[in-house]
Amino acid sequence: NAGVMQNPRHLVRRRGQEARLRCSPMKGHSHVYWYRQLPEEGLKFMVYLQKENIIDESGMPKERFSAEFPKEGPSILRIQQVVRGDSAAYFCASSPDSANQPQHFGDGTRLSIL
Amino acid sequence: GQQLNQSPQSMFIQEGEDVSMNCTSSSIFNTWLWYKQDPGEGPVLLIALYKAGELTSNGRLTAQFGITRKDSFLNISASIPSDVGIYFCAGLYSGNTGKLIFGQGTTLQVKP
């Protein structure tokens, strides 16, 4: 999955801590998407961002979760006061200008909550 | 909410055999995508389909966008051990904002 870079690859947090997941899209891509994957399941959409704008956050939990894609730097998915149920693989994808173009994924961040 | 039903859930085949998997939806999609995911990695795009009836190949892989725009299939011919993995269909429909809807995945195992 050369191009979309996610870090860290693995993140361990204790309940109540904050988790920050970073995503740098492929060069030239200005659309970023975050998905969550539980074991044995497909990916579930969370949020779609363009530079400095949230376009669709219909898949984001209403509390504790936030995302941003600043003018400079990577996109950040932030989970505050993590709970055990937040344990999952979080994937970032990017696409070129049009939202209807194929999305290319990073290798994900595996979040484990102790 | 929208759902994609992907089948079969898993397959265990002999090397050299052909494989077929499909996805159906209650909604109409404008774009169908097929991805493969290996353990510990992200999904890798295999084939993208944009028109109803479109048939597209990528090496030993062939996928079709159903005429009704509510289904798609993926065929793998002459399977090899490195085809092992989880295959996902995903759809985009008009009017949405880039939100991909994923199927539940088909786990493929190939016996050498």
Side-chain angles (χ1 to χ4, degrees):
Chain A
N1 291 317
V4 179
M5 303 301 295
Q6 289 188 248
N7 68 83
R9 290 293 308 275
H10 300 274
L11 182 61
V12 179
R13 285 287 178 266
R14 296 190 180 277
R15 282 177 294 171
Q17 291 184 322
E18 178 180 288
R20 278 184 177 242
L21 288 62
R22 287 176 289 277
C23 169
S24 296
M26 286 180 70
K27 187 177 181 180
H29 286 192
S30 57
H31 297 230
V32 166
Y33 315 81
W34 286 92
Y35 293 82
R36 177 163 62 179
Q37 186 179 35
L38 296 173
E40 312 293 326
E41 294 186 8
L43 284 73
K44 297 287 195 295
F45 170 83
M46 298 181 74
V47 62
Y48 162 38
L49 311 104
Q50 293 180 27
K51 284 285 187 181
E52 300 184 281
N53 285 307
I54 296 175
I55 307 302
D56 182 351
E57 56 181 348
S58 59
M60 288 274 274
K62 293 289 186 281
E63 298 178 348
R64 303 188 297 108
F65 284 72
S66 61
E68 62 176 8
F69 189 15
K71 187 177 179 181
E72 301 290 338
S75 175
I76 305 289
L77 179 66
R78 182 183 178 204
I79 311 173
Q80 295 178 289
Q81 298 174 325
V82 295
V83 301
R84 288 243 171 92
D86 296 333
S87 296
Y90 292 84
F91 290 96
C92 169
S94 71
S95 68
D97 293 341
S98 167
N100 287 323
Q101 295 192 12
Q103 297 173 23
H104 297 267
F105 285 81
D107 280 336
T109 294
R110 271 85 185 155
L111 176 64
S112 298
I113 309 302
L114 301 180
Chain B
Q2 291 183 304
Q3 286 188 325
L4 286 184
N5 296 312
Q6 187 172 348
S7 64
Q9 187 175 354
S10 62
M11 303 181 74
F12 190 89
I13 63 171
Q14 198 78 29
E15 182 177 0
E17 290 184 352
D18 295 344
V19 172
S20 184
M21 59 193 78
N22 68 83
C23 273
T24 60
S25 170
S26 57
S27 301
I28 291 175
F29 286 103
N30 279 359
T31 302
W32 281 95
L33 305 169
W34 284 92
Y35 288 89
K36 179 180 181 239
Q37 186 177 27
D38 291 328
E41 298 184 8
V44 174
L45 182 66
L46 299 174
I47 292 180
L49 302 158
Y50 300 103
K51 294 181 184 177
E54 180 181 354
L55 185 70
T56 298
S57 293
N58 177 8
R60 294 178 296 106
L61 277 60
T62 302
Q64 185 158 30
F65 192 143
I67 291 293
T68 65
R69 296 166 64 193
K70 291 184 177 182
D71 63 307
S72 177
F73 72 74
L74 174 70
N75 287 344
I76 304 172
S77 62
S79 58
I80 58 178
S82 62
D83 290 334
V84 165
I86 304 176
Y87 292 80
F88 290 100
C89 61
L92 272 171
Y93 70 102
S94 64
N96 86 347
T97 54
K99 176 171 64 178
L100 278 177
I101 309 298
F102 277 83
Q104 306 96 319
T106 295
T107 300
L108 178 63
Q109 298 183 56
V110 179
K111 184 178 181 182

